[in-house]
Amino acid sequence: MAVAFLSAQRSKDPSSQVGACIVNSENKIVGIGYNGMPNGCSDDVLPWARTAAHRLDTKYPYVCHAELNAIMNKNSADVKGCSMYVALFPCNECAKLIIQAGIKEVIFMSDKYHDTTEMTAARRMFDLAGIIYREFKPKCNKIIIDFDSINSRPSQKLL
């Protein structure tokens, strides 16, 4: 889950940074993604707004979700039988991709949109397809990455 959250930091979305990490049965990472605009479509040209007078002026018709990008960025032949760690419970469109890709389990951190139509549809499809989904229970609330630690020398004992 920490890798999914770290990947999410790459997103340019000002309101929702979401990341996903796919692992195989040996817990080896086989795909990572975050929410962003399609390849070749500038993050600075397309809108990031959540609301606007016209839907085409919002991010929703354009943005690629983290789950899609993780599947597309896979570094293996396929992701059949793999598990996906994702910051937010997947929407209905991502659920379809997850099912079609053969992912067997989805581990999510937040289900804050639980009662929406999209999430209800996602759960229905997961149930029908036999996809396991469960909430991630962290052992700690924070992981700190100290970039300066690489330059520090371990203390050596004098003999």
Side-chain angles (χ1 to χ4, degrees):
M1 188 60 76
V3 172
F5 270 69
L6 188 59
S7 176
Q9 296 300 304
R10 298 200 63 198
S11 174
K12 302 253 180 23
D13 189 331
S15 60
S16 300
Q17 287 79 38
V18 179
C21 179
I22 303 170
V23 298
N24 66 17
S25 60
E26 298 171 330
N27 271 338
K28 292 181 180 172
I29 296 170
V30 297
I32 298 173
Y34 58 90
N35 57 320
M37 296 304 175
N39 293 336
C41 297
S42 173
D43 294 329
D44 300 323
V45 174
L46 292 173
W48 284 109
R50 291 173 66 106
T51 59
H54 301 286
R55 186 160 167 82
L56 286 175
D57 294 327
T58 70
K59 64 183 177 178
Y60 299 109
Y62 310 105
V63 74
C64 295
H65 286 182
E67 299 93 331
L68 164 70
N69 284 324
I71 291 167
M72 295 304 295
N73 293 337
K74 70 185 183 307
N75 61 12
S76 61
D78 61 46
V79 291
K80 282 184 174 49
C82 289
S83 297
M84 177 182 281
Y85 288 84
V86 64
L88 279 176
F89 189 87
C91 70
N92 61 308
E93 292 299 322
C94 291
K96 291 185 244 180
L97 291 167
I98 289 165
I99 292 165
Q100 292 299 89
I103 291 170
K104 66 171 174 118
E105 180 181 29
V106 174
I107 304 101
F108 61 93
M109 186 73 190
S110 172
D111 193 12
K112 66 182 179 179
Y113 301 114
H114 180 86
D115 295 328
T116 65
T117 304
E118 292 81 6
M119 303 314 156
T120 301
R123 285 191 305 277
R124 183 180 293 173
M125 287 186 284
F126 283 159
D127 290 342
L128 288 169
I131 307 297
I132 298 164
Y133 51 94
R134 62 182 171 88
E135 184 178 357
F136 181 76
K137 302 290 187 191
K139 294 179 182 140
C140 61
N141 289 331
K142 290 184 181 183
I143 296 175
I144 298 170
I145 298 173
D146 180 1
F147 289 111
D148 291 327
S149 66
I150 194 72
N151 291 319
S152 63
R153 292 182 140 189
S155 60
Q156 296 189 2
K157 294 180 181 179
L158 298 174
L159 298 176

